Amino acid sequence: MDEEYDVIVLGTGLKECILSGLLSVDGLKVLHMDRNDYYGGESTSLYLVQLWKRFRGSDKPPAHLGSSRDYNVDMIPKFIMANGALVRVLIHTDVTKYLHFKSVDGSYVYNKGKVHKVPATDMEALKSPLMGLFEKRRASKFIKFVQDYDEKNPETHEGLDLTRVTTRELIVKYGLGDNTVDFIGHALALHRDDYYLDEPALDTVKRMKLYAESLARFAGGSPYIYPLYGLGELPQAFARLSAVYGGTYMLNKPECKVEFDEEGKVIGVTSEGETAKCKKVVCDPSYLPNKVRKVGKVARAIAIMSHPIPNTNNSHSVQVILPQKQLDRKSDMYLFCCSYSHNVAPKGKFIAFVSIEAETDQPEIELKPGIDLLGPADEIFFETYDRYEPVNEPSLDNCFVSTL
């Protein structure tokens, strides 16, 4: 370990593993360490026994739930946009040879107490009960403007500078109603709250275009894809990539202490009495707690079920978005469900998650509207964790801390 590296990466979360892989491919000498004896950090996937140990304090789950090894339960569940930046990174680095993806069955939105499919085609849009007939015409004009919009071609801008015009002003121009705005902003543009309305409209237009491109890419019922065996496969795939390009991995390294010189610049990392020298450190917030600040708290319910989420057309994998206004909240609630079709549970079992940004000190009560939509659950677990963002200046200390 007493060597010099270009970069030392601490933690094997998804962001850290992606960066480790990309830096190794770029020819840098990388040392990657983790205090845990497993890959994935906070975004790991757990077998049933590991899940039971974490939440119930024992390693004996009920036999009727099936084999422990048939479960891969993500601790930070997330579907991937089929045409998004992460997929481009996967293809660019050829990490796809270590992973298999499958499209997600459906994308749904909660409106006026009911769950509705987010239209995936023009025909679905015409039949959707989310909008009335006249509203559908206005919405279709707006969506056509978005689809035709090309940042580099002023002829598609209809005289609007979307770096100056706010989303609210753009919506007024097309006369869209509140329900439609809710649906477009949260179910298509995937904003988590309503701050976007008073920000430049270009971001919302780009997000809507990404949704449409992702939907078209695999011609499925949603714009999302998800790896077989769960999201925990991603960090491991990028770790393999790093190793192929000469990266060195050390798991189960306790007390990784980042060392600095008199000027406050990073010079290395010490563990078990040995110090590895480096020019830069990439890490998750837990390794440099004095260089981050708390910005929020995530609350999540994890349910093991014997059925799909009701009113989602028996979808074996699905996301349901509950926009903030529908629940009188400040941010959206997300329902995420996967099953044996993505090899994350035994046949006949479904794993569902309800996730929110906690707004009170009673997150279990906040989660109830989402849990009520799941139907009966065989088992349910609750978890909260704090979110952090870096406050340091990397150009001064050469420490690059990820957000959580």
Side-chain angles (χ1 to χ4, degrees), residues 278-297:
C278 66
K279 302 181 183 85
K280 291 180 172 67
V281 160
V282 172
C283 66
D284 73 43
S286 69
Y287 288 89
L288 284 172
N290 60 330
K291 291 185 183 286
V292 296
R293 68 184 174 109
K294 182 180 167 183
V295 291
K297 184 191 282 280

Side-chain angles (χ1 to χ4, degrees), residues 55-100:
F55 291 103
R56 300 278 199 258
S58 91
D59 55 5
K60 290 190 170 58
H64 69 84
L65 292 177
S67 168
S68 171
R69 290 270 172 173
D70 285 341
Y71 286 86
N72 291 285
V73 183
D74 289 340
M75 289 297 95
I76 301 183
K78 197 173 288 188
F79 287 141
I80 299 163
M81 293 297 277
N83 205 40
L86 179 54
V87 170
R88 291 199 292 275
V89 169
L90 290 167
I91 292 166
H92 169 72
T93 56
D94 209 20
V95 165
T96 43
K97 66 187 173 193
Y98 305 123
L99 293 161
H100 294 286

Side-chain angles (χ1 to χ4, degrees), residues 196-272:
Y196 77 95
L197 288 169
D198 296 309
E199 291 171 354
L202 183 60
D203 179 50
T204 295
V205 167
K206 282 182 172 178
R207 283 164 167 262
M208 289 178 67
K209 287 179 81 68
L210 173 60
Y211 189 98
E213 289 158 4
S214 298
L215 193 59
R217 182 157 191 173
F218 293 109
S222 83
Y224 311 115
I225 58 172
Y226 186 69
L228 296 183
Y229 303 103
L231 211 59
E233 292 294 293
L234 276 174
Q236 292 189 58
F238 278 99
R240 285 188 206 116
L241 175 73
S242 177
V244 165
Y245 282 88
T248 303
Y249 272 79
M250 294 183 183
L251 295 180
N252 211 12
K253 295 295 283 184
E255 296 170 13
C256 295
K257 182 174 181 284
V258 183
E259 307 284 358
F260 297 89
D261 63 16
E262 302 81 33
E263 295 175 5
K265 281 191 185 294
V266 70
I267 53 170
V269 175
T270 300
S271 176
E272 298 178 309

Side-chain angles (χ1 to χ4, degrees), residues 13 15 36-37 58 77 102-103 126-127 155 167 182 188 202-203 258 264 280 299 311 313 320 325 363:
K15 291 175 185 176
N36 298 312
D37 59 358
S58 91
K102 192 173 174 184
S103 59
L126 284 171
K127 292 175 186 171
E155 289 180 15
T167 308
D182 223 24
L188 298 182
L202 183 60
D203 179 50
V258 183
K280 291 180 172 67
N311 305 310
N313 196 31
V320 183
K325 271 186 192 166

Side-chain angles (χ1 to χ4, degrees), residues 64-209:
H64 69 84
L65 292 177
S67 168
S68 171
R69 290 270 172 173
D70 285 341
Y71 286 86
N72 291 285
V73 183
D74 289 340
M75 289 297 95
I76 301 183
K78 197 173 288 188
F79 287 141
I80 299 163
M81 293 297 277
N83 205 40
L86 179 54
V87 170
R88 291 199 292 275
V89 169
L90 290 167
I91 292 166
H92 169 72
T93 56
D94 209 20
V95 165
T96 43
K97 66 187 173 193
Y98 305 123
L99 293 161
H100 294 286
F101 287 87
K102 192 173 174 184
S103 59
V104 172
D105 292 343
S107 177
Y108 287 76
V109 64
Y110 181 79
N111 184 271
K112 294 180 180 174
K114 291 184 178 178
V115 172
H116 301 277
K117 189 176 191 307
V118 177
T121 64
D122 292 346
M123 286 305 291
E124 279 188 10
L126 284 171
K127 292 175 186 171
S128 173
L130 282 165
M131 293 174 272
L133 181 61
F134 294 112
E135 186 69 1
K136 280 176 183 167
R137 286 179 186 167
R138 288 189 287 269
S140 67
K141 283 181 185 173
F142 175 66
I143 290 169
K144 186 172 188 323
F145 163 73
V146 170
Q147 285 173 341
D148 293 344
Y149 184 87
D150 179 351
E151 215 175 335
K152 293 172 185 168
N153 181 2
E155 289 180 15
T156 65
H157 297 184
E158 294 189 6
L160 300 169
D161 180 356
L162 296 191
T163 61
R164 292 173 180 269
V165 173
T166 66
T167 308
R168 195 183 298 276
E169 289 166 340
L170 183 62
I171 283 162
V172 168
K173 180 182 186 303
Y174 284 90
L176 302 178
D178 287 349
N179 265 336
T180 308
V181 173
D182 223 24
F183 157 68
I184 285 172
H186 295 266
L188 298 182
L190 302 178
H191 289 292
R192 286 190 292 192
D193 50 47
D194 277 349
Y195 292 121
Y196 77 95
L197 288 169
D198 296 309
E199 291 171 354
L202 183 60
D203 179 50
T204 295
V205 167
K206 282 182 172 178
R207 283 164 167 262
M208 289 178 67
K209 287 179 81 68

